[in-house]
Amino acid sequence: MDDILILLVFAWCVAAVLGALAWLGVRGRRRGVGGEVMGPFEEMWHPAATRYRAEIRVQEQRMIPMPSADGKDQTA
């Protein structure tokens, strides 16, 4: 009986940790935050997504549009 109880407690702990990570992932995606929390786990399981997000961050920092090659204003 003790062996079954130990196995059940272990299984519950693993399920609780996985559930907490899933909850953090959903919450972070919904709010657009949480990259600091989920970043290491996502980098382990999906490194391409981490590289993609880093590229998106770099592109978001480029706020000023580049001037056109012919020197004309594109807003007119």
Side-chain angles (χ1 to χ4, degrees):
M1 185 67 181
D2 289 338
D3 293 336
I4 294 174
L5 182 62
I6 291 171
L7 182 62
L8 287 175
V9 168
F10 178 74
W12 183 87
C13 289
V14 169
V17 168
L18 291 176
L21 287 175
W23 176 76
L24 280 173
V26 169
R27 183 173 182 236
R29 284 191 183 102
R30 201 176 295 151
R31 293 184 179 193
V33 296
E36 297 81 22
V37 175
M38 294 302 292
F41 298 106
E42 187 170 86
E43 190 171 354
M44 284 187 284
W45 282 299
H46 196 9
T50 304
R51 289 189 298 269
Y52 175 74
R53 282 199 176 83
E55 182 65 30
I56 294 298
R57 257 186 258 123
V58 168
Q59 289 179 5
E60 286 176 349
Q61 291 176 355
R62 298 181 192 154
M63 299 296 279
I64 301 172
M66 298 295 292
S68 65
D70 59 0
K72 294 181 182 177
D73 189 15
Q74 294 178 350
T75 59

